[in-house]
Amino acid sequence: MNEYVEYDWRLHQMQNERLCDVSRKRLTEGDRQRALDGLKEAVDSSLNLALRDKSRCQDDNFLRRFLYARKHDVQQSFELLVRYHQHRREHPELWAPADGGVLRALADGLPGVLTQRDRHGRCVLLMFASNWTPHACPLLSVFRALLLTLERTLTEIQNQANGFVIIVDWTEFTFKQSCSLQAKVLKMMIDCLQDCMPVRFKSIHFIGQPWYVETALAVIKPYLRAKTRERIMLHGNNLSTLHDSLPLDILPAELGGEGPSYNSELWLQEFCRCENIDPKPVPVVATAAPVDNDLPAAKLDKAYKQKDSSNFSFHGNEKSAKSELLRDKD
């Protein structure tokens, strides 16, 4: 989305450059208000079809999340706003109200939300991967649960400004479960979260990750921005390195923290209260797990099956599998 002919960005170029310079130091309330006014003007004058319904853009709190996500650069914030609305138009099924699959994912801690923030005021999200039951709760439902959770938590200005920390606990996540990580859904998740969501992920922590999760991560890393790649921290079974980043008093017992065991019902109840829906999960009809011929399921599976062979070359198989993904990515 490089062209927005209906809005002359040159009129605000100098102001945007000044705001960007100031944001690297400290934005004043006046700077934020000028950026908000500039974004409102861009929305009002836009003829882009993605913004034909501008009713939600009348909410200052809603617009601010895009400004915070792009450090109050008006042009970049506007482009993100357009991509966000375009994504919602192109994928209405992802943004539909929570159904049984979403509630099942939330009940399983996919994701969960800690009640306390870290020392930087950031909201901490949890993902307990081993709780995932692919045949009863498809990966798409987990993604929807994450999207709707982000939408709900982004209503708080503190989350817009300070961003999020994600902890993914892969402990006891099985190889069989990893075969249900459909590549098309993973790519959709990456594209949406990186390019369409007004959210700032300050750090992403993996703990207890098995070797096949690290292999899948190596395959999808080329699709991640450099800054995102730098913020992924692999802790393995060494929880002390996780504790160097996050205080013990906010972490649940499962993560070696001083708090009680994580209770996924707390966020489920809060989410349902805010969305005005019945927290009792709608029964999900169990179906056979879909067969996906994409990575990192079936194609990586051929490499994994050779792991016990005396002639097995892990890096060679990973490279071959990665080449297959890059060839089929379109």
Side-chain angles (χ1 to χ4, degrees):
M1 297 193 178
N2 297 321
E3 297 182 358
Y4 298 92
V5 296
E6 70 278 4
Y7 186 78
D8 187 359
W9 292 110
R10 290 172 297 179
L11 297 176
H12 294 271
Q13 184 177 3
M14 294 182 63
Q15 179 185 5
N16 283 341
E17 290 175 353
R18 188 183 68 80
L19 283 173
C20 288
D21 291 338
V22 173
S23 67
R24 296 188 185 98
K25 302 174 184 177
R26 186 179 184 87
L27 283 173
T28 66
E29 193 59 38
D31 293 324
R32 294 191 183 94
Q33 186 59 47
R34 279 188 288 273
L36 180 61
D37 293 340
L39 183 55
K40 284 181 175 180
E41 183 179 345
V43 171
D44 291 340
S45 60
S46 174
L47 301 178
N48 194 295
L49 291 178
L51 294 177
R52 61 184 179 184
D53 180 8
K54 301 179 181 180
S55 57
R56 197 175 183 191
C57 296
Q58 305 304 314
D59 182 358
D60 288 358
N61 187 54
F62 173 72
L63 291 178
R64 283 194 180 97
R65 66 181 66 176
F66 296 92
L67 290 167
Y68 277 112
R70 292 297 180 264
K71 299 182 179 180
H72 287 77
D73 182 293
V74 177
Q75 179 174 352
Q76 292 185 17
S77 301
F78 177 75
E79 292 172 356
L80 177 60
L81 178 67
V82 171
R83 289 196 299 270
Y84 169 85
H85 281 91
Q86 186 168 344
H87 187 274
R88 290 185 66 114
R89 288 188 60 196
E90 294 175 351
H91 303 281
E93 71 284 355
L94 295 178
W95 299 93
D99 56 12
V102 170
L103 297 184
R104 170 66 183 267
L106 294 176
D108 290 338
L110 297 165
V113 182
L114 290 186
T115 56
Q116 298 184 67
R117 303 175 186 276
D118 71 358
R119 296 294 187 262
H120 301 283
R122 300 174 297 196
C123 179
V124 182
L125 305 181
L126 305 178
M127 300 283 286
F128 292 100
S130 63
N131 292 348
W132 182 40
T133 309
H135 68 276
C137 182
L139 183 59
L140 204 60
S141 293
V142 176
F143 180 37
R144 283 192 2 93
L146 177 60
L147 273 184
L148 296 177
T149 292
L150 289 172
E151 275 286 281
R152 173 50 51 189
T153 51
L154 279 171
T155 59
E156 298 183 35
I157 193 72
Q158 195 170 356
N159 293 336
Q160 299 174 15
N162 298 332
F164 294 79
V165 172
I166 299 182
I167 305 174
V168 186
D169 185 358
W170 296 99
T171 306
E172 298 183 4
F173 183 76
T174 66
F175 176 74
K176 183 177 180 180
Q177 287 173 302
S178 74
C179 291
S180 297
L181 292 172
Q182 301 151 304
K184 290 181 180 178
V185 178
L186 291 174
K187 183 64 165 59
M188 180 193 303
M189 294 171 67
I190 292 171
D191 290 343
C192 175
L193 295 175
Q194 282 196 147
D195 301 327
C196 304
M197 282 295 291
V199 61
R200 302 171 66 190
F201 295 114
K202 308 303 288 186
S203 61
I204 303 170
H205 301 269
F206 282 12
I207 65 172
Q209 72 279 358
W211 65 271
Y212 38 86
V213 168
E214 292 192 11
T215 302
L217 178 61
V219 171
I220 67 174
K221 266 191 173 182
Y223 298 97
L224 303 175
R225 293 199 188 105
K227 184 177 290 187
T228 303
R229 293 196 297 267
E230 294 170 358
R231 292 177 176 178
I232 297 177
M233 305 177 188
L234 305 181
H235 301 282
N237 296 320
N238 185 9
L239 290 180
S240 63
T241 56
L242 174 67
H243 301 158
D244 290 338
S245 302
L246 294 165
L248 288 174
D249 59 331
I250 73 167
L251 295 175
E254 294 91 334
L255 303 180
E258 298 174 350
S261 296
Y262 180 73
N263 182 3
S264 61
E265 287 293 319
L266 295 178
W267 172 245
L268 174 62
Q269 295 286 341
E270 175 65 15
F271 175 85
C272 291
R273 183 188 65 79
C274 295
E275 298 293 325
N276 196 26
I277 58 178
D278 186 354
K280 183 178 180 181
V282 179
V284 179
V285 178
T287 57
V291 177
D292 188 359
N293 293 323
D294 292 325
L295 275 167
K299 291 179 181 177
L300 275 182
D301 191 27
K302 292 189 296 184
Y304 296 156
K305 288 180 179 177
Q306 301 176 41
K307 183 173 183 291
D308 297 326
S309 169
S310 58
N311 297 322
F312 175 74
S313 173
F314 179 80
H315 295 289
N317 283 279
E318 179 185 343
K319 183 177 180 181
S320 174
K322 182 176 177 180
S323 298
E324 289 189 62
L325 176 62
L326 294 176
R327 187 175 66 244
D328 296 343
K329 67 179 180 179
D330 295 330

